[in-house]
């Protein structure tokens, strides 16, 4: 960090604050597998099913829906039309919202605890997510009031900004908080989000490797990687005493 005190903190939502990454992954699998089965029948080209871990992390995690669809289908050498990409994205969102209504939203208590500590210390907090459902998820989880501002997929669309790994989402979050990114921290579980945090020049980008993807997060540019935010010392974080990659 380039400051003696943390000035702002920006948290990704899915996989960092809420336990919704697996719900997203399951919804993606339902949508992609339907498309892949139809594509295979139509073209005579066999397609293996969507992998809820490998494909999710590599191609869709942390990205706007349409970008995720395009990236995954490109990885299968499928030249999809915009209408096909839109159809898969819409179907995925329908599956996702249905699963949320059925299962509710769980939070990582360690993340909520850290947010409370930072807020009590006077650090402004933002949630920054590519999801257009961010507000709904915060409301269902009962944590809307924990954040001073929210930047989500709806804002990206309205402002005409690119999604992660572009830095715009996190730059907009810092702007709304009124803080210098170089004196602030980003908490991300996706490689695209870590890359976005680094490109936005945040002083501390913390990767959260809940899926055993530590090496990928480090390669994407994370300064520090944990498997859960409970591993962080709030005092060291507040006073910017966490050295980049000071870990085994």
């Amino acid at each position: 960090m380039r400051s003696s005190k943390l000035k702002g903190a920006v948290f990704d939502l899915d996989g960092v604050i809420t336990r919704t990454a697996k719900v997203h992954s399951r919804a993606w699998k339902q949508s992609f597998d339907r498309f892949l089965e139809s594509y295979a029948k139509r073209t005579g080209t066999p397609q293996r099913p969507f992998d809820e871990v490998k494909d999710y992390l590599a191609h869709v995690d942390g990205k706007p829906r349409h970008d995720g669809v395009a990236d995954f289908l490109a990885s299968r050498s499928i030249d999809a039309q915009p209408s096909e990409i839109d159809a898969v994205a819409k179907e995925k969102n329908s599956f996702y919202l249905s699963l949320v209504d059925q299962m509710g939203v769980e939070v990582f208590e360690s993340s909520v605890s850290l947010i409370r500590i930072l807020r009590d210390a006077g650090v402004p907090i933002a949630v920054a997510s590519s999801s257009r459902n961010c507000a709904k998820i915060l409301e269902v989880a009962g944590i809307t009031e924990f954040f001073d501002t929210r930047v989500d997929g709806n804002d990206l669309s309205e402002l005409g900004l690119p999604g992660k790994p572009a830095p715009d989402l996190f730059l907009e979050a810092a702007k709304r908080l009124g803080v210098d990114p170089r004196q602030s921290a980003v908490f991300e579980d996706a490689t695209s989000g870590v890359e976005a945090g680094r490109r936005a020049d945040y002083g501390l980008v913390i990767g959260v490797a809940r899926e055993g993807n530590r090496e990928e997060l480090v390669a994407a540019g994370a300064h520090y990687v944990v498997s859960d935010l409970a591993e962080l010392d709030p005092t060291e974080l507040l006073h910017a005493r966490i050295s980049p990659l000071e870990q085994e």
Side-chain angles (χ1 to χ4, degrees), residues 143-166:
I143 55 176
T144 302
E145 71 277 7
F146 290 166
F147 303 96
D148 297 290
T149 192
R150 182 188 79 245
V151 187
D152 60 23
N154 297 300
D155 295 300
L156 291 178
S157 178
E158 291 173 8
L159 297 173
L161 301 176
K164 306 169 189 175

Side-chain angles (χ1 to χ4, degrees), residues 90-152:
K90 287 181 177 178
E91 187 173 55
K92 181 268 173 181
N93 194 51
S94 178
F95 284 141
Y96 174 70
L97 292 176
S98 177
L99 288 170
V100 166
D101 289 338
Q102 293 173 31
M103 303 166 60
V105 176
E106 293 183 63
V107 299
F108 291 101
E109 293 299 337
S110 56
S111 298
V112 174
S113 176
L114 178 61
I115 290 169
R116 286 196 180 104
I117 291 171
L118 296 180
R119 284 186 61 82
D120 288 346
V123 177
I125 310 291
V127 58
S129 170
S130 299
S131 174
R132 291 174 180 261
N133 300 310
C134 184
K136 175 183 174 66
I137 298 303
L138 293 175
E139 182 180 359
V140 172
I143 55 176
T144 302
E145 71 277 7
F146 290 166
F147 303 96
D148 297 290
T149 192
R150 182 188 79 245
V151 187
D152 60 23

Side-chain angles (χ1 to χ4, degrees), residues 15-238:
V16 174
I17 301 171
T18 58
R19 295 178 180 269
T20 43
K22 289 186 178 180
V23 182
H24 275 292
S25 183
R26 187 180 304 178
W28 276 121
K29 181 170 178 60
Q30 287 180 284
S31 184
F32 277 130
D33 282 357
R34 281 167 61 98
F35 176 86
L36 292 172
E37 182 178 357
S38 174
Y39 179 84
K41 289 180 179 179
R42 186 171 73 250
T43 64
T45 306
Q47 291 289 331
R48 66 184 184 280
F50 178 83
D51 188 296
E52 291 185 62
V53 176
K54 294 180 180 179
D55 287 329
Y56 176 76
L57 292 175
H59 303 296
V60 301
D61 188 22
K63 299 176 183 177
R65 280 197 299 275
H66 286 71
D67 292 350
V69 175
D71 287 354
F72 170 70
L73 295 182
S75 77
R76 297 293 182 89
S77 299
I78 296 175
D79 185 18
Q81 298 298 312
S83 59
E84 293 177 304
I85 292 174
D86 187 58
V88 173
K90 287 181 177 178
E91 187 173 55
K92 181 268 173 181
N93 194 51
S94 178
F95 284 141
Y96 174 70
L97 292 176
S98 177
L99 288 170
V100 166
D101 289 338
Q102 293 173 31
M103 303 166 60
V105 176
E106 293 183 63
V107 299
F108 291 101
E109 293 299 337
S110 56
S111 298
V112 174
S113 176
L114 178 61
I115 290 169
R116 286 196 180 104
I117 291 171
L118 296 180
R119 284 186 61 82
D120 288 346
V123 177
I125 310 291
V127 58
S129 170
S130 299
S131 174
R132 291 174 180 261
N133 300 310
C134 184
K136 175 183 174 66
I137 298 303
L138 293 175
E139 182 180 359
V140 172
I143 55 176
T144 302
E145 71 277 7
F146 290 166
F147 303 96
D148 297 290
T149 192
R150 182 188 79 245
V151 187
D152 60 23
N154 297 300
D155 295 300
L156 291 178
S157 178
E158 291 173 8
L159 297 173
L161 301 176
K164 306 169 189 175
D168 302 71
L169 188 74
F170 291 137
L171 290 173
E172 181 66 20
K175 177 182 176 182
R176 294 186 185 186
L177 288 177
V179 300
D180 184 344
R182 295 172 297 177
Q183 298 176 335
S184 305
V186 160
F187 301 82
E188 259 286 356
D189 70 317
T191 55
S192 60
V194 166
E195 183 179 343
R198 286 301 301 267
R199 291 174 64 183
D201 202 24
Y202 272 72
L204 185 60
V205 178
I206 296 177
V208 186
R210 300 200 191 277
E211 301 296 334
N213 56 332
R214 178 188 182 281
E215 292 183 2
E216 290 84 353
L217 294 174
V218 171
H223 293 118
Y224 197 82
V225 179
V226 295
S227 59
D228 187 88
L229 294 186
E231 297 170 29
L232 294 173
D233 183 325
T235 300
E236 291 187 353
L237 179 62
L238 283 166

